[in-house]
């Protein structure tokens, strides 16, 4: 596929984070990105490397040098006198990435893709094959400038302490860049959006996936034995966590500027949620019968829009999506439902009058089943006219 730089060259950047303690290595997270690139030569590029020595505040540590002698973030990869310069994907580019990945990467993934198809296949007791096929997405970018002395104390304090990438020495950078899933990113968009005239500065294309720290307390959402879900969006900023569960809906927050760079065209949001079918059924207590869904997008001022729902169940994964919503800071809510099987009342034919020599006919009463819930506890009651025990409610 020819990219916007006129080449068919791409860089795959995949890595895992891990810790080592008392002789044992533990995988903690993973991320993978694919970039369209074109080659650029020059003396300002060298092999990347790690430099050990005193860092900020005199602490001895290691610093990874990117290979750009004068860093401006344009090189995805470098070699001596060579830069793989990032360019944009061609419109409609769809990519399949297959990874051999530690099975310790579990829970949820997030990223910058759309219309994903996912499969996870065990290799052995240590590794899985993770396959992700998805479209690249267009992400509007925001640039903002402000006077720190004019900002509220909360914003200034968060700005000072939030981790960032940038150009210049640590804490003296003359620009800072925040990742979209950073907790401060939404604050930046909502606080400085008006100063940017609610208009994106430019648009870049992305294809990126990464793991999410698994901190859910819900039994169904915090399964640490496998990958259970995938949430992706092209929003400028978004929740860096799995969707929250309130007992009936899955909720996710995003943020962005209202207009594209021309200042007239509204930005168009995308949201994809892929979840293991058994996880969805665990949350709702559903059977294996087909599931339906409704998706609503509620703006910051409370206006609610029902979106066209895309729902598909394939290879034990449930896929849901909402496209075409606008920003600034909407909340996306998904509610699943399932039709209950209709109860059929058995009709017993009248018994014929017994003859003196016949055996009497026995007619059994129909047995009904009722599910009763109390918090997380579920009881099943059977009988001709079942009733829930005290403290339980019929489901």
């Amino acid at each position: 596929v020819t990219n916007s730089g006129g080449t068919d060259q791409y860089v795959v950047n995949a890595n895992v984070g891990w810790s080592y303690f008392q002789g044992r290595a533990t995988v903690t997270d993973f991320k993978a990105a694919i970039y369209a690139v074109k080659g650029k030569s020059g003396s300002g590029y060298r092999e990347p490397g790690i430099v050990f020595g005193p860092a900020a505040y005199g602490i001895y540590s290691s610093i990874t040098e990117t290979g750009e002698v004068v860093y401006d973030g344009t090189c995805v990869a470098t070699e001596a006198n060579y830069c793989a310069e990032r360019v944009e994907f061609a419109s409609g580019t769809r990519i399949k990435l297959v990874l051999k990945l530690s099975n310790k990467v579990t829970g949820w993934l997030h990223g910058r893709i759309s219309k994903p198809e996912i499969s996870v296949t065990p290799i052995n007791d240590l590794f899985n094959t993770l396959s992700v096929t998805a479209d690249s997405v267009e992400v509007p970018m925001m640039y903002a400038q402000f006077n720190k002395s004019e900002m509220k104390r909360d914003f200034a304090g968060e700005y000072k302490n939030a981790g960032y990438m940038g150009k210049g020495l640590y804490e003296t950078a003359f620009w800072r860049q925040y990742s979209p899933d950073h907790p401060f990113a939404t604050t930046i968009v909502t606080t400085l959006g008006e100063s940017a005239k609610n208009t994106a500065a430019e648009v870049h294309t992305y294809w990126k996936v990464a793991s999410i720290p698994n901190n859910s307390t819900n039994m169904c959402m915090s399964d640490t034995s496998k990958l259970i879900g995938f949430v992706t969006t092209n929003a400028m900023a978004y929740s860096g966590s799995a969707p929250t569960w309130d007992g009936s809906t899955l909720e996710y927050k995003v943020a962005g500027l209202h207009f594209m760079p021309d200042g007239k065209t509204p930005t168009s949001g995308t949201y994809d949620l892929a979840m293991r079918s058994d996880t969805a059924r665990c949350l709702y207590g559903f059977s294996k019968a087909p599931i339906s869904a409704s998706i609503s997008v509620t703006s910051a001022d409370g206006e609610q829009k029902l979106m066209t729902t895309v729902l598909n169940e394939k290879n034990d994964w449930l896929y849901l999506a909402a496209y075409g919503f606008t920003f600034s800071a909407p909340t996306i809510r998904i509610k699943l439902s399932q039709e209950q099987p209709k109860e059929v009342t058995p009709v017993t034919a009248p018994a014929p009058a017994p003859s003196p020599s016949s055996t009497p006919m026995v007619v059994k009463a129909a047995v009904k089943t009722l599910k009763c819930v109390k918090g997380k506890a579920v009881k099943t009651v059977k009988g001709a006219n079942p009733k829930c025990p005290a403290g339980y409610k019929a489901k």
Side-chain angles (χ1 to χ4, degrees):
V1 175
T2 303
N3 58 44
S4 69
T7 77
D8 60 357
Q9 297 175 342
Y10 298 84
V11 167
V12 180
N13 182 336
N15 61 72
V16 292
W18 54 278
S19 62
Y20 184 80
F21 182 67
Q22 293 183 345
R24 183 175 181 179
T26 303
V27 173
T28 55
D29 59 81
F30 124 92
K31 58 185 175 183
I34 297 175
Y35 300 98
V37 300
K38 67 176 182 179
K40 183 168 69 173
S41 299
S43 59
Y45 311 113
R46 62 190 179 204
E47 291 279 349
I50 299 175
V51 178
F52 293 91
Y57 310 112
I59 298 172
Y60 191 88
S61 64
S62 63
I63 298 173
T64 302
E65 292 189 328
T66 65
E68 291 182 81
V69 175
V70 180
Y71 176 75
D72 60 13
T74 60
C75 301
V76 176
T78 58
E79 296 174 359
N81 302 317
Y82 172 83
C83 161
E85 182 181 16
R86 178 181 172 182
V87 295
E88 305 301 332
F89 291 110
S91 178
T93 299
R94 188 166 177 83
I95 297 168
K96 180 178 182 179
L97 177 66
V98 180
L99 295 169
K100 178 183 177 182
L101 181 64
S102 167
N103 59 16
K104 300 301 181 186
V105 177
T106 61
W108 287 78
L109 302 178
H110 70 104
R112 294 296 204 188
I113 56 176
S114 183
K115 302 180 178 67
E117 293 180 33
I118 301 158
S119 68
V120 183
T121 308
I123 298 175
N124 52 36
D125 59 353
L126 294 175
F127 293 97
N128 292 329
T129 295
L130 171 65
S131 173
V132 181
T133 305
D135 292 354
S136 61
V137 292
E138 293 186 342
V139 179
M141 311 297 288
M142 172 182 175
Y143 301 151
Q145 187 172 332
F146 64 93
N147 255 322
K148 287 194 284 186
S149 61
E150 297 174 359
M151 305 309 294
K152 292 182 179 179
R153 182 180 295 179
D154 290 350
F155 181 92
E158 203 168 349
Y159 174 80
K160 180 181 179 181
N161 297 320
Y164 63 90
M165 296 177 290
K167 185 171 183 177
L169 296 175
Y170 184 71
E171 291 198 336
T172 61
F174 54 85
W175 57 256
R176 295 185 178 191
Q177 180 179 351
Y178 294 90
S179 60
D181 57 318
H182 194 291
F184 189 47
T186 297
T187 302
I188 291 175
V189 173
T190 54
T191 303
L192 302 178
E194 286 189 16
S195 68
K197 299 181 180 179
N198 242 327
T199 300
E202 59 188 23
V203 176
H204 287 307
T205 53
Y206 284 86
W207 199 104
K208 182 178 181 180
V209 298
S211 57
I212 297 173
N214 199 336
N215 53 15
S216 174
T217 57
N218 181 277
M219 178 185 66
C220 304
M221 297 276 282
S222 61
D223 188 339
T224 58
S225 65
K226 57 193 174 186
L227 285 171
I228 60 176
F230 207 140
V231 57
T232 70
T233 177
N234 74 333
M236 194 174 286
Y238 59 87
S239 302
S241 61
T244 58
W245 168 251
D246 67 1
S248 62
T249 58
L250 290 162
E251 184 177 290
Y252 201 70
K253 295 181 183 295
V254 296
L257 301 183
H258 191 68
F259 295 108
M260 296 291 276
D262 62 7
K264 299 177 182 179
T265 307
T267 51
S268 180
T270 68
Y271 173 79
D272 287 271
L273 173 67
M275 189 190 319
R276 282 191 183 272
S277 300
D278 54 6
T279 300
R281 289 181 164 86
C282 174
L283 287 172
Y284 285 89
F286 285 163
S287 68
K288 291 190 177 295
I291 294 173
S292 58
S294 64
I295 300 178
S296 65
V297 179
T298 306
S299 64
D301 59 9
E303 181 185 0
Q304 189 175 85
K305 297 179 180 179
L306 286 174
M307 305 303 299
T308 301
T309 299
V310 177
L311 176 67
N312 180 31
E313 193 167 1
K314 181 180 179 182
N315 297 329
D316 298 323
W317 283 80
L318 193 68
Y319 296 92
L320 305 103
Y323 304 126
F325 56 88
T326 55
F327 298 97
S328 57
T331 298
I332 303 165
R333 293 182 177 89
I334 292 178
K335 186 169 185 176
L336 304 181
S337 57
Q338 187 178 74
E339 281 192 19
Q340 296 296 321
K342 295 180 180 179
E343 286 192 11
V344 178
T345 305
V347 178
T348 305
S355 62
S357 59
S358 67
T359 303
M361 179 181 291
V362 178
V363 179
K364 294 184 178 179
V367 176
K368 297 179 181 179
T369 301
L370 181 66
K371 281 196 172 183
C372 305
V373 293
K374 179 182 179 183
K376 293 184 179 179
V378 179
K379 285 191 176 183
T380 302
V381 183
K382 296 183 179 182
N385 186 23
K387 293 181 180 180
C388 287
Y392 284 76
K393 292 183 179 180
K395 189 172 182 182

